[in-house]
């Protein structure tokens, strides 16, 4: 984004450099500011403002400094239950997508000898993601249903005598759909981080008699940390910010934080919905902050 | 969205003439002369008016079961201006009307949404005398009665949300007035759908939906404002509670209802909840559930797959049961003026002139002006859809796809039987915020 401005940069002269540097600095960040202010900061501020307004119950809002919306959200058991349920889905999705993503990336980087083949296989991983998430999600339904392929197959082999009901419209189904949708967000950054590990380090470790487990524990995992952290940020923020998968795959049997404030918007309770949104943003920022605290991504990436 | 975009202007004009001729023939010149809506303009229509209106575009926004592309296309063909149909779900629609009123010309609203939109001042009153078919409306809508039978007003009935005292009023008016909030265009009476092959007996009471024998095989509608009404019908039917007004519950009534739902859910009663038409069809067709609250066309859609499905006739008995009614109407947004407003009135009048009424009837909904819809339906169709008689020929859906074999009788009987058995209407309760919160308690439980 900064490339065009860099090209225009005039030759530096010692006298003007102080002032000009200030001015140039602003120019460098201008494109980002131009995007962030109107499309991110302004809406966010509008939401924050709405969250303290008073509602007339019919979609009307009067400017006020009314913290009761926050109070209502923060003191209700519902909020706790919603966050608990969302956190559960987030954790499970994160765990499974991490395990799968890590090993897929590991295989592609360290087991496929031919780098071109590795890259080809990596691109192959992205093929399922060329279709829309919604299609990828709903295609699980005929598979998992009571009369779905899995149940039919199990019944036929005689492993079960009644269709398994937990497969569809359950937390299980939600996690399956999320893992299917989001594992790619783990594979990509971890693949990228692992790809930059110097293979000679691994060879040296082998020569020095390190076991496979030690290599994994002492070399590969630590050096893939940035990828793991980036992938985790993607997965955590997507699951926490989503409600559609939960709604469809749980058969409406589970609710999510975002789903709950979408319902509030449905009955025009804007201030309360805004307060919930602000709280969710804060929680997400805290979660991302926590991830970044464990891994200094900037250092890892510029390594 | 609009397929009318593809029509070159010249063709559109030619079609206008043809359409107009047909309409004039149908209705007779007298009907046109008698109406106020741009009737003078219509006489000079083919030359001046047609040139002027072809640049007009009306954006009709609302839910998919009410705002149908095929109807908009036909209207555009008959009227000569552009009609764009845009679909949103119920809550997205009301939010759009309220927060971005200028992006909509015709708001497709339910009674409760009309009440809300009037309160927010985003709609303009519709002049009653410019609606040609107004006097042919069923009195359900205009007087709140039918055949001397008072239509219950639990929830927000279409009659209750129909009138305002003056063009820019922000409160509803109880009793007949000269200004209307919206023009009712499609409605129905919702009940339970079930699989007779798996249920094994006839269902005529709402309490069957919460009967323990259907544990893990029942589903309920997950649009809180409507779902809670279905739940209320079940609880009342089972004799667990008697509501003051199901459509406007007190906090205590809401608590009772939700607690009961939670109890049922914890005992594994509800297999799923559904929010869209397709979901309800798939649940039933795949055998995931055998009984659920359901819409009439969804039941038909299951049957088209050769899977038996019945739309339960839940007639009012002993002050219990009854259908949950809903009605969508068209409201004019405040910003409409001049030629565009004239076009909008033309559009409203076209809607009531019969083509649309016949179209929606063929998928199981009703027209508020059945007398005009009848003209566009065959005698056989009329007997099947409105009179509840066995169909003398194969029943076809609005697009001409065969739906039912010869001799099929419609569930729930005649149109009059159905609508006089509506016991409550879709609504927005005073305690909607609280109800929503409690509904979410049910969801996470």
């Amino acid at each position: 984004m900064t490339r065009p401005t860099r090209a225009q940069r005039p030759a530096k002269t010692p006298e003007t450099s102080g002032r000009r540097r200030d001015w140039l600095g602003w120019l460098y960040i201008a494109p980002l500011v131009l995007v962030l202010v109107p499309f991110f900061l302004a809406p966010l501020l509008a939401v924050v403002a709405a969250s303290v307004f008073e509602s007339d119950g019919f979609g009307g809002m009067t400017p006020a400094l009314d913290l009761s919306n926050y109070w209502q959200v923060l003191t209700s058991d519902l909020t706790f239950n919603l966050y608990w349920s969302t956190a559960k889905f987030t954790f499970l999705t994160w765990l499974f997508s991490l395990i799968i993503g890590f090993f897929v990336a590991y295989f592609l980087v360290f087991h496929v000898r031919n780098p071109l083949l590795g890259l080809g296989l990596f691109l192959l991983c992205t093929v399922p993601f060329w279709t829309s998430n919604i299609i990828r999600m709903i295609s699980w339904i005929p598979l998992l249903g009571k009369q779905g392929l899995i149940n039919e197959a199990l019944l036929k082999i005689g492993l079960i005598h009644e269709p398994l009901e937990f497969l569809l419209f359950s937390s299980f189904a939600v996690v399956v759909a999320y893992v299917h949708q989001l594992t790619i967000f783990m594979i990509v950054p971890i693949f990228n981080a692992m790809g930059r590990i110097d293979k000679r380090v691994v060879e040296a470790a082998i020569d020095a008699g390190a076991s496979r487990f030690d290599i994994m524990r002492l070399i590969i995992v630590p050096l893939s940390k940035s990828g793991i952290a980036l992938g985790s940020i993607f997965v955590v923020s997507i699951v926490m910010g989503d409600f559609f998968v939960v709604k469809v795959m749980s058969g409406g049997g589970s609710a999510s934080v975002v789903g709950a404030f979408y319902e509030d918007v449905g009955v025009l309770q804007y201030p309360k919905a805004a307060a919930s949104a602000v709280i969710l943003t804060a929680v997400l920022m805290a979660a991302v902050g926590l991830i970044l605290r464990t891994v200094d991504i900037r250092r890892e990436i510029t390594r | 969205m609009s397929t009318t975009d593809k029509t070159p202007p010249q063709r559109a004009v030619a079609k206008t003439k043809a359409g107009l001729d047909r309409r004039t023939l149908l209705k007779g010149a007298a009907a046109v002369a008698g109406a106020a809506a741009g009737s003078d303009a219509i006489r000079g229509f083919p030359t001046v008016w047609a040139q002027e209106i072809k640049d007009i575009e009306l954006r009709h926004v609302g839910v998919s079961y009410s705002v149908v592309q095929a109807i908009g296309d036909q209207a555009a063909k008959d009227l000569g201006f552009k009609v764009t149909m845009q679909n949103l779900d119920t809550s997205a629609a009301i939010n759009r009307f309220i927060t971005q009123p200028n992006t909509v010309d015709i708001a497709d609203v339910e009674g409760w949404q009309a009440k809300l939109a009037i309160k927010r001042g985003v709609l303009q009153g519709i002049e009653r005398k410019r609606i040609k078919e107004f006097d042919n409306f069923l009195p359900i809508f205009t007087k709140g009665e039918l055949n001397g039978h008072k239509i219950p007003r639990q929830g927000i009935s279409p009659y209750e949300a129909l009138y305002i005292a003056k063009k820019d009023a922000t409160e509803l008016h109880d009793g007949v007035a000269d200004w209307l909030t919206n023009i009712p265009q499609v409605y129905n009476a919702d009940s339970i759908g079930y699989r007779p092959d798996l249920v094994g007996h006839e269902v005529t009471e709402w309490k069957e939906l919460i009967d323990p024998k259907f544990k893990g095989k029942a589903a309920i509608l997950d649009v809180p404002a409507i779902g809670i009404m279905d739940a209320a019908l079940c609880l009342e039917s089972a004799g667990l509670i008697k509501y003051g007004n199901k459509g406007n519950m007190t906090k205590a009534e809401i608590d009772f209802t939700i607690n009961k739902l939670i109890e049922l859910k914890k005992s594994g009663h509800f297999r799923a909840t559904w929010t869209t038409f397709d979901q309800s069809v798939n649940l039933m067709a795949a055998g995931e559930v055998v009984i659920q609250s359901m819409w009439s066309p969804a039941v038909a859609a299951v049957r088209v797959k050769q899977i038996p499905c019945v739309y339960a006739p839940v007639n009012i008995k002993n002050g219990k049961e009854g259908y949950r009614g809903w009605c969508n109407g068209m409201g004019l947004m405040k910003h409409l003026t001049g030629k565009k407003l004239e076009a909008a009135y033309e559009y409203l009048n076209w809607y009531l002139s019969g083509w649309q009424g016949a179209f929606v009837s063929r998928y199981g909904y009703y027209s508020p002006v059945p007398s005009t819809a009848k003209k566009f339906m065959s005698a056989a169709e009329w007997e099947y859809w409105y009179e509840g008689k066995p169909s003398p020929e194969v029943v076809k859906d609005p697009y001409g796809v065969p739906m039912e074999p010869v001799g099929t009788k419609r569930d729930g009987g005649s149109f009059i039987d159905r609508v006089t058995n509506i016991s409550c209407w879709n609504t927005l309760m005073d305690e909607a915020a609280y109800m929503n919160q409690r509904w979410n308690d049910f969801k996470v439980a």
Side-chain angles (χ1 to χ4, degrees):
Chain A
M1 232 183 244
T2 52
R3 201 164 292 156
T5 44
R6 191 171 295 172
Q8 288 157 13
R9 181 200 269 184
K12 227 191 276 176
T13 56
E15 309 90 68
T16 55
S17 67
R19 251 211 177 149
R20 182 156 292 179
R21 209 176 294 137
D22 274 1
W23 181 77
L24 267 174
W26 281 108
L27 202 64
Y28 284 146
I29 61 165
L32 192 62
V33 170
L34 284 178
V35 172
L36 282 186
V37 170
F39 297 111
F40 176 73
L41 201 60
L44 193 66
L45 288 176
V47 172
V48 172
S51 71
V52 293
F53 281 8
E54 267 166 8
S55 162
D56 66 357
F58 291 101
M61 289 191 286
T62 32
L65 191 67
D66 179 6
L67 293 176
S68 68
N69 301 312
Y70 284 97
W71 184 245
Q72 267 184 38
V73 175
L74 288 172
T75 54
S76 99
D77 286 348
L78 175 63
T79 311
F80 174 77
N81 290 334
L82 287 169
Y83 273 93
W84 173 247
S85 139
T86 300
K88 196 177 69 189
F89 289 134
T90 308
F91 175 76
L92 289 173
T93 308
W94 172 78
L95 185 68
F96 289 117
S97 62
L98 174 62
I99 293 171
I100 299 171
F102 183 87
F103 283 103
V104 168
Y106 180 78
F107 174 80
L108 292 176
V109 173
F110 291 102
H111 278 260
V112 181
R113 297 287 157 132
N114 182 342
L116 204 63
L117 180 65
L119 199 65
L121 288 174
F122 170 74
L123 289 177
L124 211 60
C125 288
T126 67
V127 169
F129 300 87
W130 295 357
T131 52
S132 108
N133 319 353
I134 295 184
I135 292 177
R136 268 182 291 134
M137 174 184 65
I138 59 173
S139 52
W140 280 102
I141 293 176
L143 206 69
L144 300 175
K146 260 189 198 168
Q147 298 172 8
L149 291 176
I150 293 179
N151 268 323
E152 299 271 289
L154 291 177
L155 282 170
K156 224 162 242 168
I157 332 172
L159 269 176
I160 52 170
H161 301 287
E162 281 279 298
L164 298 173
E165 292 206 352
F166 79 90
L167 289 178
L168 186 58
F169 302 139
S170 58
S171 301
F172 172 81
V174 175
V175 173
V176 166
Y178 271 135
V179 170
H180 179 201
Q181 290 200 348
L182 302 178
T183 300
I184 191 77
F185 291 104
M186 280 289 190
I187 298 178
V188 174
I190 296 178
F191 177 80
N192 182 43
M194 278 183 184
R196 287 187 292 132
I197 296 174
D198 194 334
K199 293 232 168 62
R200 285 172 303 183
V201 179
V202 180
E203 278 158 23
I206 294 171
D207 291 346
S211 70
R212 268 187 139 176
F213 179 70
D214 281 340
I215 293 172
M216 185 70 92
R217 188 170 60 99
L218 298 170
I219 301 174
I220 295 174
V221 171
L223 291 179
S224 311
K225 257 174 27 187
S226 65
I228 294 173
L230 282 174
S232 304
I233 291 173
F234 284 134
V235 170
V236 168
S237 56
I238 293 174
V239 177
M240 294 204 72
D242 176 77
F243 72 100
F244 195 66
V245 173
V246 173
K247 187 165 184 145
V248 175
M249 297 308 288
S250 74
S254 276
S256 57
V257 176
V258 179
F261 61 75
Y262 182 74
E263 305 280 12
D264 280 335
V265 171
V267 287
L268 312 175
Q269 299 292 327
Y270 301 130
K272 198 166 149 247
S276 307
V278 170
I279 292 169
L280 177 64
T281 310
V283 169
L284 255 177
M285 277 162 63
V288 171
L290 212 66
I291 295 171
L292 292 180
R293 246 192 119 88
T294 20
V295 182
D296 184 349
I297 288 197
R298 204 159 28 159
R299 214 198 61 206
E300 299 277 341
I301 285 180
T302 50
R303 167 165 55 87
Chain B
M1 287 280 288
S2 166
T3 55
T4 56
D5 293 356
K6 293 169 201 146
T7 318
Q10 298 92 327
R11 255 185 69 208
V13 175
K15 279 189 174 174
T16 307
K17 288 181 193 163
L20 213 252
D21 287 348
R22 195 163 62 78
R23 291 180 68 217
T24 320
L25 274 176
L26 271 169
K27 291 189 175 174
V32 178
S39 56
D40 295 331
I42 283 182
R43 292 230 169 109
F45 198 103
T47 49
V48 185
W49 178 247
Q51 283 305 316
E52 284 178 355
I53 63 167
K54 75 173 176 6
D55 298 328
I56 290 178
E57 180 188 0
L58 289 180
R59 292 158 300 177
H60 186 171
V61 181
V63 289
S64 58
Y65 50 85
S66 174
V67 177
V68 179
Q69 185 66 48
I71 298 174
D73 291 350
Q74 185 67 32
K77 213 159 104 184
D78 287 354
L79 296 169
F81 49 76
K82 220 158 117 179
V83 177
T84 313
M85 303 304 234
Q86 294 178 19
N87 292 145
L88 296 168
D89 68 45
T90 309
S91 71
I94 184 68
N95 275 290
R96 174 136 172 223
F97 304 151
I98 301 287
T99 57
Q100 301 161 54
N102 292 333
T103 65
V104 179
D105 299 318
I106 311 280
D108 213 87
V109 285
E110 269 194 49
W112 63 268
Q113 292 176 317
K115 179 179 170 182
L116 207 70
I118 284 292
K119 211 173 184 100
R120 286 261 73 80
V122 295
L123 294 180
Q124 58 174 294
I126 299 168
E127 215 177 334
R128 184 174 66 146
K129 63 175 197 289
R130 292 183 68 174
I131 302 303
K132 296 173 201 172
E133 297 291 344
F134 189 81
D135 295 333
N136 293 328
F137 263 101
L138 287 177
I140 303 171
F141 304 98
T142 54
K143 301 195 186 93
E145 57 175 55
L146 187 67
N147 296 350
H149 168 89
K150 271 250 173 284
I151 302 291
R153 284 173 65 171
Q154 290 204 32
I156 297 172
S157 76
Y159 161 70
E160 209 171 325
L162 190 65
Y163 297 106
I164 42 176
K166 49 186 201 307
K167 193 180 178 185
D168 52 359
T170 54
E171 287 296 332
L172 297 177
H173 179 82
D174 201 346
V176 182
D178 288 333
W179 295 92
L180 311 170
T181 61
N182 73 104
I183 298 296
Q185 54 108 337
V186 60
Y187 60 101
N188 200 14
D190 287 346
S191 80
I192 299 173
Y194 67 99
R195 291 271 302 262
D197 53 333
L198 302 174
V199 166
H201 62 267
E202 199 194 3
V203 171
T204 63
E205 291 178 319
W206 279 93
K207 69 177 180 204
E208 302 265 5
L209 187 57
I210 54 167
D211 193 309
K213 67 176 179 267
F214 298 126
K215 194 189 248 185
K217 296 173 186 165
I220 194 164
L221 172 59
D222 178 25
V223 175
I226 317 176
I228 197 161
M229 301 271 278
D230 289 348
L233 282 157
C234 293
L235 300 188
E236 217 172 55
S237 165
L240 297 171
I241 184 176
K242 178 88 191 138
Y243 295 91
N245 177 354
K246 281 185 283 295
N248 200 5
M249 299 181 190
T250 62
K251 277 193 171 179
E253 286 170 337
I254 292 170
D255 283 337
F256 181 88
T257 313
I258 299 285
N259 291 341
K260 192 73 201 166
L261 285 177
I262 292 175
E263 198 181 298
L264 282 162
K265 183 178 171 185
K266 288 213 161 129
S267 72
H269 187 81
F270 294 114
R271 172 101 178 104
T273 58
W274 59 271
T275 37
T276 66
F277 181 93
D278 288 358
Q279 284 171 357
S280 75
V281 173
N282 292 333
L283 280 174
M284 201 60 125
E288 295 289 339
V289 304
V290 301
I291 185 166
Q292 64 180 348
S293 49
M294 212 168 175
W295 299 336
S296 166
V299 171
V302 174
R303 280 220 288 251
V304 168
K305 299 176 193 243
Q306 309 294 324
I307 295 165
C309 189
V310 175
Y311 191 54
V314 286
N315 289 350
I316 300 174
K317 17 192 181 295
N318 307 323
K320 297 191 289 192
E321 318 304 334
Y323 297 89
R324 177 178 47 72
W326 58 267
C327 172
N328 268 74
M330 298 185 287
L332 300 182
M333 299 306 281
K334 194 145 258 176
H335 67 86
L336 291 174
T337 51
K339 267 191 227 97
K340 207 161 174 181
L341 182 61
E342 297 301 313
Y345 269 104
E346 272 292 294
Y347 184 60
L348 296 184
N349 279 315
W350 178 88
Y351 245 77
L352 303 175
S353 65
W355 193 93
Q356 177 263 355
F359 186 90
V360 296
S361 298
R362 287 185 198 109
Y363 53 80
Y365 294 158
Y366 299 117
S367 164
V369 201
S371 53
T372 57
K374 193 175 179 177
K375 292 180 202 163
F376 286 80
M377 298 173 86
S378 71
E381 284 179 325
W382 178 260
E383 282 176 15
Y384 175 77
W385 292 110
Y386 278 83
E387 295 186 341
K389 292 182 185 161
S391 176
E393 52 188 52
V394 174
V395 181
K396 289 185 180 154
D397 80 354
Y399 303 96
V401 180
M403 272 169 72
E404 307 275 2
V406 180
T408 317
K409 227 172 114 179
R410 196 177 174 186
D411 309 328
S414 77
F415 155 73
I416 299 283
D417 260 358
R418 287 260 199 123
V419 295
T420 51
N421 278 295
I422 289 175
S423 66
C424 58
W425 297 87
N426 282 1
T427 187
L428 184 69
M429 301 187 191
D430 294 340
E431 295 291 351
Y434 182 69
M435 189 274 289
N436 247 28
Q437 188 190 331
R438 293 300 330 263
W439 186 265
N440 279 318
D441 283 336
F442 162 55
K443 301 296 292 300
V444 286

